[in-house]
Amino acid sequence: MTTPFIGKQEYFGGIGSIPYEGPASDNPLSFKYYDAKKKIGDKTMAEHLRFAVCYWHSFCNAGHDPFGPGTRRYPWDVPATPMARAEARMDAAFEFFTKLGVPYYCFHDIDMAPDDDDIATYERQLKQLVGMAKERQQATGMKLLWGTANLFAHPRYMNGAATNPDFAVVARAAVQVRAALEATVELGGGNYVFWGGREGYASLHNTQMKRELDHFARFLTAARDYGRSIGFKGNFLIEPKPMEPMNHQYDFDSSTVVGFLKQHGLDKDFKLNIEANHATLSGHTFEHDLQVASDHGLLGSIDANRGNAQNGWDTDQFPSDLYDTVGAMLVVLRQGGLEPGGLNFDAKVRRESTDAEDLFIAHIGGMDSFARGLEVAHALLTQSPLEGWRKDRYATFDSGEGLAFAQGKLGLDDLRTYALGHGEPAQRSGKQERYENLLNQYLIRA
Ligand code: XUL
Ligand code: CO
């Protein structure tokens, strides 16, 4: 990826490939920490972080909110027909990906191709655009991190897609998943995502929850079987979110999804795609939901963004909080990486950010935040006393009676006998502040 891709027209004129200039530079269009080839441990930053740009926020969303239309005028929205606009959007997207220097992208079927109620037209249009994307991938070396189907925007999905109470809608949703799976395979995607947009309920009064969840499992099983039958070898991913748009969404959080996957025998093929702002919406931290997924061996990929501490909405802001990125990278490094997953910027510039360069600046900030998070997390794990302190905290389970208990060899009588012989346990400080200080120390110095 040396020369940026320029299609029939240049959409981000005046902006070239984004260079690494280091923390001393004040050039907003340069990386301060993300140095793709820099080695952190045994992998480069690019290999650790596996950044992806998303199609939907970056090239489809012009900044509309519930109170008004979009504020950005995209030059790729000018051509007269939907297919011509889709091709122009693709050129703009590949120009942006290559100028920014990310290796991956993600898309929904109807971000890339125009939607159509006529199934044959929808399938033909998507195939045509996928063919064009394949050519551009070959020309640039760009790769697909994951594909997905948008099963929440069309009014037919107002009561859900796979969990819709009407079988006709469930079947119509399958049309899109089938086509999006084929597109993902054709483009060599390493993952296929299910974010359960409207899989949930607005009211329990009209909802048979168990029935809907059983249908959901049947639908995912059929998708898994179809994907495998057409040669998809990657991970299927579920992206938890507790609410919005529905009042309650079935893929509430990591714990809920892990339980659901295990209950339905889907945990061999499915992992989780954890989004920061979804975790915070569910009342957890980003790091918590990552850790839960990772502890089950099911952390597959990450949607990198952040919410707004003042409100509970899914604001999808670009990540900029270094505590969050250090926390996330600690989980990722401890589990040995994310491959074939990656870090997808499911984030949008603010409605008030209307210059073409703002999209670059936002991604640069997100990439730098994670690059810095990676450096600090790596230093904490390899140079600091962090892991030693954590291990020592549990030392009483490393040998003797504690070990025997952990191995399931002691019953309550044995525990009582031990307690009788040892008196009141000595107080052991949790030392939270010592850990917090260590993190800050490494954030500043590493
Ligand atoms: C919505 C969301 C989606 C998924 C893909 O909150 O995160 O963009 O990532 O459908
Ligand atoms: Co997402």
Side-chain angles (χ1 to χ4, degrees):
M1 235 193 278
T2 42
T3 343
F5 173 88
I6 308 292
K8 287 187 196 129
Q9 133 182 20
E10 188 172 21
Y11 291 97
F12 299 94
I15 299 175
S17 294
I18 304 298
Y20 168 76
E21 292 182 359
S25 169
D26 286 329
N27 173 10
L29 290 170
S30 75
F31 293 112
K32 316 298 180 299
Y33 295 100
Y34 180 66
D35 183 1
K37 295 204 171 73
K38 181 174 175 181
K39 277 268 178 94
I40 303 291
D42 57 359
K43 287 194 275 192
T44 63
M45 279 193 168
E47 289 165 342
H48 276 289
L49 296 166
R50 301 170 59 80
F51 285 128
V53 169
C54 83
Y55 224 92
W56 52 102
H57 286 314
S58 295
F59 309 104
C60 305
N61 174 348
H64 66 276
D65 73 7
F67 308 97
T71 51
R72 292 181 285 278
R73 279 195 210 98
Y74 290 138
W76 50 89
D77 279 341
V78 169
T81 67
M83 283 301 275
R85 286 197 289 278
E87 188 173 358
R89 176 179 305 127
M90 183 174 287
D91 280 346
F94 275 80
E95 181 189 328
F96 180 79
F97 303 152
T98 51
K99 285 183 168 176
L100 184 64
V102 284
Y104 296 98
Y105 72 103
C106 301
F107 75 103
H108 299 83
D109 52 349
I110 58 169
D111 308 332
M112 186 178 273
D115 197 3
D116 205 290
D117 286 356
D118 178 68
I119 292 174
T121 307
Y122 157 79
E123 289 174 340
R124 178 172 38 77
Q125 291 182 159
L126 180 59
K127 272 212 172 75
Q128 209 173 321
L129 267 301
V130 165
M132 293 181 202
K134 195 168 181 179
E135 283 169 16
R136 284 157 181 75
Q137 285 187 197
Q138 278 157 1
T140 60
M142 281 297 301
K143 294 195 267 312
L144 178 66
L145 185 68
W146 51 260
T148 188
N150 179 325
L151 305 179
F152 42 90
H154 194 287
R156 79 170 73 88
Y157 298 124
M158 66 183 182
N159 291 304
T163 62
N164 197 292
D166 179 355
F167 174 63
V169 180
V170 177
R172 186 60 178 80
V175 169
Q176 281 185 251
V177 170
R178 186 176 170 281
L181 271 166
E182 285 178 358
T184 302
V185 170
E186 180 67 15
L187 295 173
N191 306 270
Y192 183 87
V193 166
F194 288 89
W195 168 57
R198 294 182 197 270
E199 314 294 17
Y201 60 78
S203 165
L204 255 189
H205 292 310
N206 64 4
T207 303
Q208 292 181 352
M209 184 155 50
K210 180 172 187 319
R211 211 163 176 195
E212 293 197 0
L213 278 162
D214 286 345
H215 295 165
F216 197 20
R218 284 306 315 145
F219 190 91
L220 295 175
T221 305
R224 189 239 359 237
D225 292 345
Y226 186 75
R228 295 302 183 220
S229 81
I230 60 167
F232 178 63
K233 298 201 168 48
N235 285 328
F236 293 90
L237 300 173
I238 305 258
E239 185 177 316
K241 187 175 182 183
M243 65 194 83
E244 199 219 63
M246 301 312 272
N247 203 20
H248 173 88
Q249 298 199 193
Y250 294 138
D251 298 325
F252 196 90
D253 62 359
S254 275
S255 284
T256 311
V257 173
V258 166
F260 174 83
L261 291 176
K262 292 194 177 200
Q263 181 190 354
H264 295 283
L266 291 167
D267 53 312
K268 301 284 173 290
D269 299 279
F270 283 75
K271 290 191 170 184
L272 276 67
N273 181 40
I274 300 300
E275 178 162 326
N277 204 170
H278 295 180
T280 52
L281 266 181
S282 63
H284 305 305
T285 61
F286 179 27
E287 196 177 342
H288 168 92
D289 253 23
L290 292 171
Q291 190 67 59
V292 171
S294 182
D295 285 346
H296 287 90
L298 293 177
L299 174 58
S301 203
I302 291 178
D303 267 12
N305 63 15
R306 86 185 138 101
N308 178 332
Q310 273 171 283
N311 62 44
W313 311 322
D314 191 15
T315 56
D316 285 342
Q317 290 167 240
F318 276 84
S320 65
D321 184 324
L322 296 181
Y323 289 109
D324 267 358
T325 61
V326 172
M329 291 316 295
L330 281 171
V331 179
V332 169
L333 290 177
R334 284 193 187 113
Q335 75 160 30
L338 278 177
E339 205 176 342
L343 284 164
N344 168 47
F345 289 110
D346 191 354
K348 56 190 179 209
V349 291
R350 299 301 85 193
R351 187 168 188 266
E352 304 79 19
S353 300
T354 47
D355 292 342
E357 70 166 19
D358 293 334
L359 192 60
F360 281 92
I361 292 171
H363 281 87
I364 290 168
M367 291 163 79
D368 273 341
S369 298
F370 268 95
R372 185 70 182 141
L374 167 65
E375 284 182 333
V376 175
H378 176 75
L380 279 167
L381 293 176
T382 57
Q383 296 161 28
S384 88
L386 177 65
E387 295 302 79
W389 288 348
R390 283 159 52 96
K391 187 174 183 320
D392 287 350
R393 197 159 179 240
Y394 297 87
T396 55
F397 294 95
D398 287 343
S399 61
E401 305 286 277
L403 181 61
F405 165 77
Q407 292 171 337
K409 293 178 186 159
L410 302 188
L412 285 192
D413 283 342
D414 305 313
L415 298 181
R416 181 173 178 275
T417 306
Y418 181 90
L420 279 173
H422 285 78
E424 180 60 26
Q427 201 172 46
R428 286 168 190 260
S429 168
K431 307 207 84 63
Q432 179 176 330
E433 298 80 4
R434 185 179 69 171
Y435 289 85
E436 289 168 352
N437 293 356
L438 185 76
L439 202 158
N440 271 352
Q441 181 193 336
Y442 273 73
L443 251 179
I444 293 161
R445 129 184 148 185

